[in-house]
Amino acid sequence: MFRELARAVAALAEVRGLRSFTLPYPSLAQRALDRTVTHCLDIGETPPRSLPELWEWCRSRPAGDPLFEVPASLVTPDATLVHPVGLMPTRTCLEVASHGSAGGVAADARTLLGELEARCGTAEWYRRSRNFLARHPVVLQQDRFGTGWSKAVWSRVKELYRPLPESLLVEDVFLRCPSCGLPALPRGRTIPVPGPPVTGSGFWCEGEECPHGEPLGLIRDPDHAWVLRRSLRAFLALPHGVEEAVLNQLDRAGIGYEAVSGHLCAYRLPVAGSETASVQVYDRLQPGLLAAHLTAGAPSADRTFVVVPSRLARRDGYRATFTAALPTPFRERLVLTTPAELLHRLGEAPANRYDAGVAHHRDPGVLRGEKRDDA
């Protein structure tokens, strides 16, 4: 039920604000509401009377609530589906919505990139287009007149952008986080106008973990701005900084790599001998769900280095929860690490030798030896 609610929240937030639902409800939301009502009646709980009331439950009732009983090994008990300040889907919501065979939001991101790859036709155009998406979660009209703008790239990616939805506007102004570049919203959805940008802990951004203290970016002409699809913002743009750090480490060490088609942020490493190795980059808040995702099917390599941001790896219980969620046969094959630790972990790998200076150019993505647009 918690996953069904997560998918309903994620889907409906794409088409309307969380406070503006009207009857008749979309079928996805109605099914989630009906199932919740039935479950509440079965356990003697007072059910929600409407979708707006159910949304309030998703804001205030965490995963560990007896109503949901989500195992703590999968989702931290205090995690909610709707953010209390932003009143938008949380990152945990998108991760829960991506759990399971259907793939949910993350699968949508993979599908969109697969379609882009086919549309581009060549590895070079796909590389440039993918880099553009990762670096530009929001595009302003004036960006088109800046240095480095490519009409050819824009023609390939523009259908992955949408006009800014009303749910992301505050008094007809769009706010952007200075750290992650993703949309931001203040508590109460009010800003002082005129005046300088406001900072403080009463703000939410889609990155959710960015440091406070820097002024938020204000876009006062949102009719001339476009925002990347939410699935790509969450699963491509958000981990892009970690991906860049990983590739920079491999470049400095002279270790070649090739992008793996069909994945969001995955690279093969050349290894002497018959064993295969890869690096996969994630920025996921829920280590249990990350482990479940990685073991849902047979890993594509004999050894996979799963790279996450240092701030997550340092979090109490993150590494332990990830490891505990892995089936025993996978605990040697899936190695959780950070960009700073990656080269050391590569050196630790038993019986592996990562060939320096070897780069393969068959697959799309960022290729070693080229100057990256986002370097």
Side-chain angles (χ1 to χ4, degrees), residues 42-186:
D42 287 343
I43 64 175
E45 178 88 29
T46 302
R49 294 169 294 180
S50 64
L51 190 58
E53 188 170 318
L54 180 61
W55 237 250
E56 173 59 26
W57 281 30
C58 292
R59 186 190 70 82
S60 59
R61 293 193 176 220
D65 190 287
L67 177 71
F68 302 126
E69 296 182 334
V70 179
S73 59
L74 278 181
V75 181
T76 50
D78 61 345
T80 61
L81 297 178
V82 174
H83 196 276
V85 174
L87 302 181
M88 297 292 287
T90 59
R91 288 178 55 185
T92 290
C93 175
L94 300 184
E95 293 174 21
V96 172
S98 300
H99 178 57
S101 57
V105 182
D108 179 67
R110 290 192 294 270
T111 298
L112 293 174
L113 285 182
E115 293 171 351
L116 174 64
E117 183 178 352
R119 193 160 60 247
C120 286
T122 68
E124 170 63 13
W125 279 116
Y126 177 61
R127 180 190 71 82
R128 296 180 63 186
S129 300
R130 181 187 181 279
N131 283 351
F132 182 94
L133 298 176
R135 294 179 61 195
H136 297 86
V138 179
V139 173
L140 310 180
Q141 185 172 16
Q142 58 261 37
D143 292 341
R144 302 188 187 193
F145 306 103
T147 57
W149 179 266
S150 170
K151 292 182 179 179
V153 169
W154 179 243
S155 69
R156 289 168 168 82
V157 303
K158 63 182 180 180
E159 69 180 60
L160 296 174
Y161 289 83
R162 293 175 172 175
L164 289 172
E166 185 178 348
S167 59
L168 291 178
L169 300 183
V170 180
E171 301 177 10
D172 296 324
V173 172
F174 174 73
L175 293 87
R176 181 165 52 173
C177 175
S179 296
C180 65
L182 297 175
L185 290 169

Side-chain angles (χ1 to χ4, degrees), residues 79-334:
T80 61
L81 297 178
V82 174
H83 196 276
V85 174
L87 302 181
M88 297 292 287
T90 59
R91 288 178 55 185
T92 290
C93 175
L94 300 184
E95 293 174 21
V96 172
S98 300
H99 178 57
S101 57
V105 182
D108 179 67
R110 290 192 294 270
T111 298
L112 293 174
L113 285 182
E115 293 171 351
L116 174 64
E117 183 178 352
R119 193 160 60 247
C120 286
T122 68
E124 170 63 13
W125 279 116
Y126 177 61
R127 180 190 71 82
R128 296 180 63 186
S129 300
R130 181 187 181 279
N131 283 351
F132 182 94
L133 298 176
R135 294 179 61 195
H136 297 86
V138 179
V139 173
L140 310 180
Q141 185 172 16
Q142 58 261 37
D143 292 341
R144 302 188 187 193
F145 306 103
T147 57
W149 179 266
S150 170
K151 292 182 179 179
V153 169
W154 179 243
S155 69
R156 289 168 168 82
V157 303
K158 63 182 180 180
E159 69 180 60
L160 296 174
Y161 289 83
R162 293 175 172 175
L164 289 172
E166 185 178 348
S167 59
L168 291 178
L169 300 183
V170 180
E171 301 177 10
D172 296 324
V173 172
F174 174 73
L175 293 87
R176 181 165 52 173
C177 175
S179 296
C180 65
L182 297 175
L185 290 169
R187 186 183 299 275
R189 303 204 175 200
T190 59
I191 60 173
V193 178
V198 182
T199 62
S201 60
F203 281 83
W204 162 87
C205 72
E206 285 184 347
E208 289 187 14
E209 304 217 324
C210 295
H212 295 289
E214 295 185 46
L216 295 171
L218 270 66
I219 299 172
R220 300 187 181 278
D221 191 9
D223 290 339
H224 294 93
W226 297 266
V227 65
L228 186 63
R229 294 274 292 267
R230 179 66 191 268
S231 63
L232 291 171
R233 300 200 305 269
F235 295 110
L236 177 66
L238 188 61
H240 179 62
V242 182
E243 180 183 15
E244 271 296 283
V246 165
L247 299 185
N248 287 337
Q249 290 278 18
L250 295 176
D251 282 343
R252 282 195 290 268
I255 298 175
Y257 49 83
E258 58 178 340
V260 180
S261 183
H263 288 257
L264 292 171
C265 302
Y267 298 88
R268 293 188 189 93
L269 300 179
V271 184
S274 60
E275 187 167 288
T276 59
S278 68
V279 171
Q280 295 190 28
V281 180
Y282 294 92
D283 192 340
R284 304 279 185 103
L285 296 183
Q286 301 296 335
L289 290 178
L290 175 57
H293 162 70
L294 290 165
T295 57
S300 58
D302 296 316
R303 183 173 294 268
T304 297
F305 297 89
V306 182
V307 187
V308 300
S310 297
R311 71 178 189 282
L312 293 181
R314 290 193 299 264
R315 185 170 294 172
D316 287 346
Y318 192 94
R319 290 180 188 263
T321 300
F322 176 83
T323 301
L326 294 174
T328 301
F330 294 105
R331 292 182 182 176
E332 292 295 325
R333 298 178 62 184
L334 296 170

